[in-house]
mmCIF file of all heavy atoms in Angstrom:
data_model
loop_
_atom_site.group_PDB
_atom_site.id
_atom_site.type_symbol
_atom_site.label_atom_id
_atom_site.label_comp_id
_atom_site.label_asym_id
_atom_site.label_seq_id
_atom_site.Cartn_x
_atom_site.Cartn_y
_atom_site.Cartn_z
ATOM 1 N N VAL A 242 106.259 72.689 91.262
ATOM 2 C CA VAL A 242 107.478 73.470 91.711
ATOM 3 C C VAL A 242 108.460 72.540 92.310
ATOM 4 O O VAL A 242 108.054 71.598 93.148
ATOM 5 C CB VAL A 242 107.210 74.509 92.577
ATOM 6 C CG1 VAL A 242 108.455 75.372 93.180
ATOM 7 C CG2 VAL A 242 106.283 75.656 91.935
ATOM 8 N N THR A 243 109.729 72.624 91.942
ATOM 9 C CA THR A 243 110.820 71.843 92.519
ATOM 10 C C THR A 243 111.841 72.490 93.366
ATOM 11 O O THR A 243 112.751 71.998 94.040
ATOM 12 C CB THR A 243 111.583 71.000 91.489
ATOM 13 O OG1 THR A 243 112.102 71.965 90.543
ATOM 14 C CG2 THR A 243 110.652 70.115 90.752
ATOM 15 N N GLN A 244 111.863 73.955 93.314
ATOM 16 C CA GLN A 244 112.807 74.782 94.018
ATOM 17 C C GLN A 244 112.578 74.753 95.539
ATOM 18 O O GLN A 244 111.550 75.034 96.066
ATOM 19 C CB GLN A 244 112.524 76.325 93.473
ATOM 20 C CG GLN A 244 113.470 77.331 94.211
ATOM 21 C CD GLN A 244 114.980 77.039 93.840
ATOM 22 O OE1 GLN A 244 115.292 76.979 92.773
ATOM 23 N NE2 GLN A 244 115.741 77.040 95.048
ATOM 24 N N LYS A 245 113.743 74.326 96.132
ATOM 25 C CA LYS A 245 113.673 74.265 97.626
ATOM 26 C C LYS A 245 113.769 75.731 98.186
ATOM 27 O O LYS A 245 114.291 76.592 97.541
ATOM 28 C CB LYS A 245 114.867 73.402 98.144
ATOM 29 C CG LYS A 245 114.730 71.997 97.762
ATOM 30 C CD LYS A 245 113.635 71.322 98.617
ATOM 31 C CE LYS A 245 113.693 69.804 98.326
ATOM 32 N NZ LYS A 245 112.657 69.072 99.229
ATOM 33 N N ALA A 246 113.098 75.912 99.368
ATOM 34 C CA ALA A 246 113.100 77.337 99.829
ATOM 35 C C ALA A 246 113.278 77.360 101.409
ATOM 36 O O ALA A 246 112.980 76.449 102.089
ATOM 37 C CB ALA A 246 111.750 77.899 99.499
ATOM 38 N N ASP A 247 113.948 78.520 101.743
ATOM 39 C CA ASP A 247 113.951 78.811 103.191
ATOM 40 C C ASP A 247 112.626 79.418 103.764
ATOM 41 O O ASP A 247 112.324 79.078 104.907
ATOM 42 C CB ASP A 247 115.052 79.908 103.482
ATOM 43 C CG ASP A 247 116.361 79.308 103.042
ATOM 44 O OD1 ASP A 247 116.937 78.402 103.592
ATOM 45 O OD2 ASP A 247 116.927 79.916 102.004
ATOM 46 N N VAL A 248 112.022 80.147 102.885
ATOM 47 C CA VAL A 248 110.697 80.762 103.277
ATOM 48 C C VAL A 248 109.693 80.603 102.114
ATOM 49 O O VAL A 248 110.041 80.779 100.945
ATOM 50 C CB VAL A 248 110.866 82.156 103.594
ATOM 51 C CG1 VAL A 248 109.531 82.946 103.838
ATOM 52 C CG2 VAL A 248 111.889 82.399 104.643
ATOM 53 N N ILE A 249 108.357 80.269 102.480
ATOM 54 C CA ILE A 249 107.280 80.292 101.552
ATOM 55 C C ILE A 249 106.216 81.207 102.192
ATOM 56 O O ILE A 249 105.929 81.110 103.288
ATOM 57 C CB ILE A 249 106.700 78.854 101.250
ATOM 58 C CG1 ILE A 249 107.826 78.124 100.754
ATOM 59 C CG2 ILE A 249 105.477 79.031 100.433
ATOM 60 C CD1 ILE A 249 107.370 76.429 100.523
ATOM 61 N N VAL A 250 105.840 82.193 101.296
ATOM 62 C CA VAL A 250 104.794 83.068 101.864
ATOM 63 C C VAL A 250 103.540 82.990 100.823
ATOM 64 O O VAL A 250 103.624 82.903 99.735
ATOM 65 C CB VAL A 250 105.325 84.584 101.860
ATOM 66 C CG1 VAL A 250 105.744 85.066 100.576
ATOM 67 C CG2 VAL A 250 104.167 85.474 102.415
ATOM 68 N N ALA A 251 102.278 82.993 101.374
ATOM 69 C CA ALA A 251 101.024 82.999 100.756
ATOM 70 C C ALA A 251 100.019 83.662 101.272
ATOM 71 O O ALA A 251 99.627 83.296 102.488
ATOM 72 C CB ALA A 251 100.613 81.344 100.685
ATOM 73 N N ASN A 252 99.491 84.634 100.636
ATOM 74 C CA ASN A 252 98.487 85.455 101.164
ATOM 75 C C ASN A 252 97.265 85.376 100.343
ATOM 76 O O ASN A 252 96.997 86.093 99.385
ATOM 77 C CB ASN A 252 99.030 86.986 101.293
ATOM 78 C CG ASN A 252 97.836 87.859 101.675
ATOM 79 O OD1 ASN A 252 96.780 87.471 102.379
ATOM 80 N ND2 ASN A 252 97.957 89.194 101.363
ATOM 81 N N ILE A 253 96.498 84.265 100.538
ATOM 82 C CA ILE A 253 95.333 83.997 99.777
ATOM 83 C C ILE A 253 94.272 83.400 100.719
ATOM 84 O O ILE A 253 94.572 83.323 101.863
ATOM 85 C CB ILE A 253 95.713 82.877 98.564
ATOM 86 C CG1 ILE A 253 96.509 81.788 99.193
ATOM 87 C CG2 ILE A 253 96.347 83.603 97.498
ATOM 88 C CD1 ILE A 253 97.114 80.834 98.207
ATOM 89 N N LEU A 254 93.084 83.020 100.162
ATOM 90 C CA LEU A 254 92.039 82.605 101.053
ATOM 91 C C LEU A 254 92.329 81.286 101.617
ATOM 92 O O LEU A 254 92.921 80.428 101.064
ATOM 93 C CB LEU A 254 90.839 82.632 100.325
ATOM 94 C CG LEU A 254 90.352 83.951 99.827
ATOM 95 C CD1 LEU A 254 89.025 83.853 98.842
ATOM 96 C CD2 LEU A 254 89.976 84.928 100.947
ATOM 97 N N ALA A 255 91.695 81.051 102.696
ATOM 98 C CA ALA A 255 91.918 79.884 103.709
ATOM 99 C C ALA A 255 91.515 78.633 102.810
ATOM 100 O O ALA A 255 92.170 77.589 102.982
ATOM 101 C CB ALA A 255 90.990 79.917 104.897
ATOM 102 N N ASP A 256 90.531 78.597 102.091
ATOM 103 C CA ASP A 256 90.026 77.476 101.264
ATOM 104 C C ASP A 256 91.108 77.008 100.339
ATOM 105 O O ASP A 256 91.038 75.968 99.733
ATOM 106 C CB ASP A 256 88.682 77.630 100.635
ATOM 107 C CG ASP A 256 87.598 77.868 101.592
ATOM 108 O OD1 ASP A 256 87.302 76.953 102.433
ATOM 109 O OD2 ASP A 256 87.005 79.047 101.619
ATOM 110 N N ILE A 257 91.941 77.952 99.894
ATOM 111 C CA ILE A 257 93.006 77.584 98.829
ATOM 112 C C ILE A 257 94.378 77.281 99.690
ATOM 113 O O ILE A 257 95.045 76.372 99.260
ATOM 114 C CB ILE A 257 93.289 78.825 97.969
ATOM 115 C CG1 ILE A 257 91.964 79.201 97.329
ATOM 116 C CG2 ILE A 257 94.373 78.575 97.007
ATOM 117 C CD1 ILE A 257 92.131 80.367 96.443
ATOM 118 N N LEU A 258 94.522 77.915 100.725
ATOM 119 C CA LEU A 258 95.771 77.672 101.546
ATOM 120 C C LEU A 258 95.851 76.124 101.973
ATOM 121 O O LEU A 258 96.890 75.620 102.005
ATOM 122 C CB LEU A 258 95.782 78.520 102.809
ATOM 123 C CG LEU A 258 96.102 80.048 102.626
ATOM 124 C CD1 LEU A 258 95.910 80.778 103.915
ATOM 125 C CD2 LEU A 258 97.499 80.258 102.010
ATOM 126 N N ILE A 259 94.772 75.551 102.408
ATOM 127 C CA ILE A 259 94.849 74.043 102.741
ATOM 128 C C ILE A 259 95.338 73.144 101.555
ATOM 129 O O ILE A 259 95.795 72.080 101.924
ATOM 130 C CB ILE A 259 93.592 73.548 103.341
ATOM 131 C CG1 ILE A 259 92.304 73.716 102.155
ATOM 132 C CG2 ILE A 259 92.975 74.445 104.406
ATOM 133 C CD1 ILE A 259 91.083 73.271 102.614
ATOM 134 N N HIS A 260 95.330 73.657 100.360
ATOM 135 C CA HIS A 260 95.798 72.781 99.275
ATOM 136 C C HIS A 260 97.206 72.975 98.982
ATOM 137 O O HIS A 260 97.779 72.346 98.150
ATOM 138 C CB HIS A 260 95.016 73.171 97.944
ATOM 139 C CG HIS A 260 93.562 72.843 98.048
ATOM 140 N ND1 HIS A 260 93.034 71.521 98.334
ATOM 141 C CD2 HIS A 260 92.440 73.609 98.270
ATOM 142 C CE1 HIS A 260 91.745 71.478 98.312
ATOM 143 N NE2 HIS A 260 91.338 72.798 98.249
ATOM 144 N N LEU A 261 97.905 73.912 99.616
ATOM 145 C CA LEU A 261 99.378 74.077 99.409
ATOM 146 C C LEU A 261 100.278 73.541 100.718
ATOM 147 O O LEU A 261 101.521 73.447 100.478
ATOM 148 C CB LEU A 261 99.673 75.400 99.047
ATOM 149 C CG LEU A 261 99.538 76.564 100.042
ATOM 150 C CD1 LEU A 261 100.714 76.650 101.085
ATOM 151 C CD2 LEU A 261 99.503 77.953 99.303
ATOM 152 N N THR A 262 99.704 73.145 101.736
ATOM 153 C CA THR A 262 100.488 72.849 102.887
ATOM 154 C C THR A 262 101.413 71.593 102.651
ATOM 155 O O THR A 262 102.521 71.593 103.023
ATOM 156 C CB THR A 262 99.646 72.634 104.066
ATOM 157 O OG1 THR A 262 98.525 71.781 103.810
ATOM 158 C CG2 THR A 262 99.095 74.037 104.679
ATOM 159 N N ASP A 263 100.895 70.564 101.956
ATOM 160 C CA ASP A 263 101.713 69.417 101.695
ATOM 161 C C ASP A 263 103.035 69.637 100.806
ATOM 162 O O ASP A 263 103.972 69.292 101.112
ATOM 163 C CB ASP A 263 100.903 68.209 101.075
ATOM 164 C CG ASP A 263 99.956 67.561 102.005
ATOM 165 O OD1 ASP A 263 100.250 67.548 103.289
ATOM 166 O OD2 ASP A 263 98.977 66.995 101.697
ATOM 167 N N ASP A 264 102.605 70.473 99.765
ATOM 168 C CA ASP A 264 103.680 70.827 98.807
ATOM 169 C C ASP A 264 104.702 71.940 99.544
ATOM 170 O O ASP A 264 105.888 71.881 99.291
ATOM 171 C CB ASP A 264 103.096 71.611 97.623
ATOM 172 C CG ASP A 264 102.665 70.593 96.646
ATOM 173 O OD1 ASP A 264 103.050 69.419 96.495
ATOM 174 O OD2 ASP A 264 101.652 70.989 95.804
ATOM 175 N N ALA A 265 104.199 72.618 100.373
ATOM 176 C CA ALA A 265 105.003 73.678 101.202
ATOM 177 C C ALA A 265 106.112 72.780 101.972
ATOM 178 O O ALA A 265 107.246 73.157 102.010
ATOM 179 C CB ALA A 265 104.205 74.650 102.051
ATOM 180 N N TYR A 266 105.536 71.762 102.698
ATOM 181 C CA TYR A 266 106.476 70.842 103.520
ATOM 182 C C TYR A 266 107.541 70.255 102.674
ATOM 183 O O TYR A 266 108.602 70.116 103.043
ATOM 184 C CB TYR A 266 105.541 69.796 104.239
ATOM 185 C CG TYR A 266 106.433 68.963 105.175
ATOM 186 C CD1 TYR A 266 106.648 69.372 106.479
ATOM 187 C CD2 TYR A 266 107.004 67.740 104.672
ATOM 188 C CE1 TYR A 266 107.425 68.420 107.408
ATOM 189 C CE2 TYR A 266 107.739 67.074 105.496
ATOM 190 C CZ TYR A 266 107.917 67.324 106.699
ATOM 191 O OH TYR A 266 108.730 66.549 107.647
ATOM 192 N N ARG A 267 107.082 69.819 101.502
ATOM 193 C CA ARG A 267 107.908 69.054 100.530
ATOM 194 C C ARG A 267 109.050 70.105 100.088
ATOM 195 O O ARG A 267 110.253 69.517 99.941
ATOM 196 C CB ARG A 267 107.127 68.605 99.284
ATOM 197 C CG ARG A 267 107.973 68.124 98.107
ATOM 198 C CD ARG A 267 107.091 67.608 97.030
ATOM 199 N NE ARG A 267 106.264 68.524 96.552
ATOM 200 C CZ ARG A 267 106.710 69.495 95.397
ATOM 201 N NH1 ARG A 267 107.875 69.463 94.956
ATOM 202 N NH2 ARG A 267 105.805 70.358 95.065
ATOM 203 N N LEU A 268 108.781 71.289 99.923
ATOM 204 C CA LEU A 268 109.823 72.181 99.308
ATOM 205 C C LEU A 268 110.584 72.952 100.308
ATOM 206 O O LEU A 268 111.588 73.507 100.125
ATOM 207 C CB LEU A 268 109.077 73.233 98.378
ATOM 208 C CG LEU A 268 108.364 72.654 97.195
ATOM 209 C CD1 LEU A 268 107.510 73.665 96.562
ATOM 210 C CD2 LEU A 268 109.488 72.058 96.158
ATOM 211 N N LEU A 269 110.084 72.938 101.663
ATOM 212 C CA LEU A 269 110.893 73.815 102.567
ATOM 213 C C LEU A 269 112.153 73.019 103.075
ATOM 214 O O LEU A 269 112.035 71.755 103.239
ATOM 215 C CB LEU A 269 109.936 74.004 103.905
ATOM 216 C CG LEU A 269 108.973 75.195 103.874
ATOM 217 C CD1 LEU A 269 108.206 75.140 105.080
ATOM 218 C CD2 LEU A 269 109.736 76.466 103.591
#
Side-chain angles (χ1 to χ4, degrees):
V242 176
T243 58
Q244 176 64 53
K245 295 287 186 178
D247 301 288
V248 178
I249 298 173
V250 60
N252 179 22
I253 43 186
L254 294 177
D256 294 299
I257 301 173
L258 289 170
I259 61 174
H260 296 294
L261 67 77
T262 49
D263 285 337
D264 280 331
Y266 183 87
R267 171 177 62 86
L268 294 171
L269 281 173

